[in-house]
């Protein structure tokens, strides 16, 4: 997911955000490391909808992504973490609030660990490797992005790749690329359908997150305290990933 061992770090609002052309170049460079273009497409739409204030679209896209994929931190959740971190880096609270509320309504569809990481991401927190990568890309720091990318991709069995997919999709939304979709004449297909997996895999050994309303949004993220932060449990290999 968004975390390995180590102290989490916040993504600061970027006062000198890179121009659209540089963000586009960064997205194209990162896209070479994306193995699930449909996931990237979905996060582009989520980011765009959140920034434009399209509540219905945000909720629909979030419902398609959250809990999608196997493991303790499903792929769709990892990608949503990246979107939230990018929005935090922009410094505008409105899109974060909109997307955060949509995610909170769907918390029962994912695991307790993943829900906690998503909540931390709404506050701009992630493992240093991911926070550094997001910050570097928003600044247009090519060397910094390249250096942070290697560490971010090494997170988990596939979580690093899914985070990069979410980051790439978000950058494309910010750059308003005309080729933001891999299939420009077709609406992005739901990630869960293309993966041919159940949206929420059976995880009998994992406690589900409490239903909406039992966890207050003004509480600190459960795993934000370094001493309480668990180390990510390795995910079992999945054919085709």
């Amino acid at each position: 997911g968004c975390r390995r061992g180590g102290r989490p770090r916040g993504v600061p609002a970027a006062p000198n955000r890179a121009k659209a052309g540089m963000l586009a170049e960064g997205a194209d460079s990162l896209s070479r490391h994306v193995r699930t273009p449909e996931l990237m497409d979905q996060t582009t739409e989520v980011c765009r909808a959140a920034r434009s204030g399209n509540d219905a679209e945000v909720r629909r896209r979030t419902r398609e992504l959250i809990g999608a994929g196997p493991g303790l931190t499903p792929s769709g959740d990892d990608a949503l973490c990246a979107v939230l971190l990018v929005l935090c880096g922009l410094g505008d609270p409105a899109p974060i609030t909109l997307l955060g509320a949509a995610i909170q309504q769907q918390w029962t569809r994912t695991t307790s660990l993943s829900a906690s990481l998503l909540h931390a991401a709404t506050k701009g927190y992630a493992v240093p490797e991911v926070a550094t990568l997001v910050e570097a890309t928003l600044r247009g720091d090519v060397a910094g992005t390249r250096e942070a990318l290697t560490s971010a991709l090494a997170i988990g069995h596939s979580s690093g790749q899914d985070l990069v997919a979410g980051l790439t999709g978000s950058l494309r939304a910010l750059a308003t690329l005309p080729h933001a979709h891999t299939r420009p004449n077709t609406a992005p297909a739901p990630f869960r359908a293309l993966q041919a997996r159940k949206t929420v895999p059976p995880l009998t050994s994992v406690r589900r997150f409490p239903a909406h309303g039992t966890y207050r949004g003004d509480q600190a993220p459960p795993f934000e305290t370094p001493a309480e932060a668990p180390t990510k449990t390795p995910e079992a290999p999945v054919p085709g990933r």
Side-chain angles (χ1 to χ4, degrees):
C2 295
R3 184 188 304 274
R4 284 196 299 185
R7 188 179 183 86
R9 188 170 78 80
V11 175
N16 300 313
R17 195 180 83 199
K19 295 184 182 297
M22 189 166 289
L23 291 174
E25 291 179 9
D28 284 343
S29 178
L30 289 176
S31 68
R32 300 168 192 163
H33 303 275
V34 174
R35 299 185 180 181
T36 49
E38 66 278 5
L39 183 58
M40 178 176 63
D41 290 350
Q42 287 286 79
T43 52
T44 294
E45 295 304 316
V46 170
C47 189
R48 280 179 172 162
R51 296 191 71 215
S52 65
N54 190 334
D55 181 64
E57 183 71 0
V58 167
R59 293 176 188 279
R60 184 173 75 85
R61 296 291 181 184
T62 299
R63 189 166 54 250
E64 292 175 347
L65 282 171
I66 197 163
L72 295 178
T73 59
S75 296
D77 295 10
D78 288 330
L80 282 171
C81 276
V83 177
L84 286 165
L85 294 171
V86 168
L87 293 176
C88 286
L90 299 181
D92 183 0
I96 303 169
T97 300
L98 188 63
L99 180 55
I103 289 172
Q104 187 177 13
Q105 288 188 340
Q106 300 295 326
W107 267 346
T108 54
R109 294 170 61 85
T110 192
T111 65
S112 58
L113 171 60
S114 194
S116 298
L117 296 177
L118 282 162
H119 183 80
T122 64
K123 308 299 182 183
Y125 285 94
V127 286
E129 299 94 328
V130 176
T132 299
L133 177 61
V134 172
E135 187 178 354
T137 56
L138 289 177
R139 288 199 316 264
D141 181 352
V142 177
T145 298
R146 187 182 303 114
E147 182 178 353
L149 179 61
T150 301
S151 298
L153 286 171
I155 296 175
H157 176 67
S158 62
S159 287
Q161 297 170 13
D162 297 330
L163 282 158
V164 170
L167 173 57
T168 305
S170 299
L171 291 177
R172 288 188 162 194
L174 298 185
T176 60
L177 291 177
H179 57 287
H181 307 313
T182 54
R183 294 161 297 282
N185 296 322
T186 306
F191 172 67
R192 56 183 177 180
L194 291 179
Q195 293 302 305
R197 302 189 185 107
K198 293 182 179 179
T199 300
V200 183
L203 294 170
T204 55
S205 62
V206 179
R207 179 177 58 85
R208 295 293 174 181
F209 204 72
H212 174 60
T214 61
Y215 179 71
R216 299 197 316 273
D218 59 347
Q219 292 178 314
F223 300 130
E224 193 167 321
T225 303
E228 299 175 352
T231 301
K232 179 178 173 62
T233 303
E235 301 172 2
V238 178
R241 294 189 71 186

